[in-house]
Amino acid sequence: MKVNGTHYRSLWWDADKNALQIIDQRWLPHDFRVQQIDTLTEFADAIVEMRVRGAPLIGATAAYAMALAMRLDPSDSAMNKAWEFFNATRPTAINLRWALNRCRDLLRPLPTEMRASAALTLAHEMADEDVEVNRMIGVHGLEIIREIASKKPAGEPVRLLTHCNAGWLATVDWGTATSPMYHAHDADIPIHVWVDETRPRNQGALTSWELGCHGIDHQYITDNAGGHLMQHGQVDMVITGTDRTTRRGDVCNKIGTYLKALAARDNNVPFYVALPSSTIDWTVDDGVAEIPIEERGQEEITHVQGRLADGSIGTVQVTPDGTAGGNPAFDVTPNRLVTGLITERGVCEASPKGLAAMFPDRAEADAA
Ligand code: MRU
């Protein structure tokens, strides 16, 4: 997507430097900083510190990390060590393990001298695939927005609510939840987006920045405002992303998503989740019981980062000295609260039947 008129992906390969470039998202929306990743530790830090973040982008980054690992040492033991090292960086988004497995499955049977170039080619392919998959999510999600728009007086915007950043920054391009928004905007369907701030990391500010760059009308709201807006008929549809979707359609996404789904159900507002199939964990059924929820540092709760009056980026403490913070980073929304799953192949029911019918090939192979 575009930043000041220039098209960017959230990561890209610089062939001259033979290295990966990322947008260091810790400084957005105030500062657009690009970082080159040269070492395995830098790759791991980029994921752990959320310089790159969002399930699909974490997966794509991991593929490039494996490519670097193979360039440094293509042996079986180095490959397995790299798999373990990167798989431990963040526990919830399944795209990480999906990407690492895909790399290892391709590389294992290859002679060691072929592994480095094969791994890099695969990383490029996976990045390109992610772009196309997310574009298709937008194509399918657009039809839902179009349908809602057709029932409204001409010119009245479809009001969408989203949580966290499931935008192009969270993927290689397009985003998941935002892709239908970009497609609707480009199709001249008027939309207005309510953007949850998404404490504690305020990923909503990333979403606001993205939507602003694309000229999409939006408002940044507190995490607690959604229920009130729904009660007053000001939300036509909720659309979020997911970090892990179980085979029965439970969705694990940024903390607070579940409360939005409950409010949506209570107010008859459709609650859709947009996802690439790489986010489905076919080995898991009950998301609440089985998905590991990342617990992040308490300083993310007790402190907040932003732009200071002098223009610099700073951090301030919001709690009294010594107050302990608790920081579960994700929650699970049970399938019964999900109106539909918007995937690259189309929209399906959030149920074992719905997902298996949409992905018969994956359901059998990946659950094995
Ligand atoms: O902790 P983050 O910022 O990596 O969490 C991101 C989310 O929860 C997104 O909603 C999710 O990854 C879907 S992204 C397309």
Side-chain angles (χ1 to χ4, degrees):
M1 304 303 284
K2 291 206 163 142
V3 181
N4 295 328
T6 304
H7 181 264
Y8 281 92
R9 285 182 172 186
S10 56
L11 52 66
W12 63 95
W13 184 254
D14 186 324
D16 294 333
K17 295 178 179 153
N18 208 22
L20 187 71
Q21 312 290 317
I22 62 161
I23 300 167
D24 186 344
Q25 299 188 22
R26 293 172 305 166
W27 309 109
L28 288 174
H30 307 299
D31 209 356
F32 185 81
R33 295 188 197 174
V34 173
Q35 189 199 344
Q36 180 165 312
I37 306 283
D38 289 312
T39 69
L40 298 183
T41 307
E42 281 174 4
F43 265 106
D45 288 349
I47 298 173
V48 171
E49 294 169 2
M50 296 171 62
R51 298 165 193 230
V52 290
R53 42 149 298 284
L57 182 59
I58 292 170
T61 307
Y64 281 103
M66 283 301 270
L68 176 61
M70 291 299 91
R71 196 204 300 173
L72 298 172
D73 178 354
S75 67
D76 277 358
S77 66
M79 181 170 64
N80 293 334
K81 214 166 128 195
W83 191 101
E84 297 289 346
F85 180 56
F86 293 118
N87 191 47
T89 49
R90 289 193 77 185
T92 301
I94 195 62
N95 303 60
L96 177 61
R97 194 179 75 199
W98 169 84
L100 292 170
N101 281 348
R102 192 164 157 189
C103 294
R104 196 171 56 180
D105 289 350
L106 175 93
L107 298 170
R108 220 183 234 148
L110 296 181
T112 50
E113 64 277 13
M114 288 178 64
R115 286 180 177 170
S117 73
L120 186 59
T121 303
L122 178 61
H124 294 332
E125 277 170 20
M126 286 168 70
D128 289 345
E129 239 178 56
D130 189 66
V131 177
E132 178 55 16
V133 159
N134 296 321
R135 190 185 70 76
M136 285 310 296
I137 287 172
V139 168
H140 298 303
L142 166 63
E143 294 315 313
I144 301 171
I145 297 177
R146 200 191 292 284
E147 170 77 15
I148 296 172
S150 72
K151 295 185 180 135
K152 293 175 84 83
E156 205 175 277
V158 176
R159 291 151 310 174
L160 306 159
L161 184 143
T162 193
H163 192 70
C164 195
N165 171 261
W168 69 265
L169 288 166
T171 65
V172 179
D173 207 348
W174 285 104
T176 56
T178 57
S179 186
M181 299 175 194
Y182 292 129
H183 279 80
H185 181 76
D186 294 350
D188 290 329
I189 298 173
I191 59 169
H192 177 85
V193 186
W194 301 110
V195 181
D196 285 352
E197 61 176 346
T198 318
R199 281 279 290 144
R201 293 285 291 231
N202 295 338
Q203 283 95 334
L206 303 178
T207 304
S208 291
W209 179 74
E210 276 193 24
L211 295 176
C213 288
H214 205 75
I216 294 182
D217 187 42
H218 64 280
Q219 276 170 281
Y220 185 69
I221 55 173
T222 63
D223 287 324
N224 296 324
H228 163 78
L229 293 171
M230 290 184 218
Q231 281 178 325
H232 289 271
Q234 296 190 56
V235 181
D236 298 308
M237 172 183 180
V238 179
I239 177 165
T240 74
T242 165
D243 288 79
R244 198 187 292 218
T245 308
T246 74
R247 64 171 175 261
R248 75 179 189 196
D250 294 348
V251 290
C252 180
N253 191 49
K254 182 53 56 192
I255 192 78
T257 303
Y258 170 50
L259 291 176
K260 292 297 133 61
L262 283 173
R265 174 55 55 94
D266 197 42
N267 291 283
N268 287 321
V269 173
F271 182 93
Y272 282 93
V273 178
L275 61 132
S277 54
S278 53
T279 301
I280 305 168
D281 185 346
W282 297 98
T283 68
V284 166
D285 195 44
D286 177 346
V288 175
E290 298 176 67
I291 297 178
I293 300 296
E294 179 176 15
E295 190 70 44
R296 292 188 64 87
Q298 48 178 312
E299 68 291 344
E300 289 187 350
I301 303 292
T302 57
H303 293 68
V304 69
Q305 175 183 291
R307 186 158 63 194
L308 306 177
D310 67 1
S312 64
I313 295 173
T315 298
V316 294
Q317 182 177 323
V318 290
T319 49
D321 287 345
T323 299
N327 192 6
F330 298 93
D331 62 26
V332 173
T333 299
N335 62 0
R336 67 188 157 79
L337 298 176
V338 179
T339 308
L341 301 172
I342 309 170
T343 76
E344 70 268 28
R345 292 192 189 170
V347 181
C348 71
E349 201 179 75
S351 68
K353 227 169 107 194
L355 275 168
M358 189 62 83
F359 297 99
D361 43 334
R362 293 280 308 277
E364 273 176 33
D366 292 13

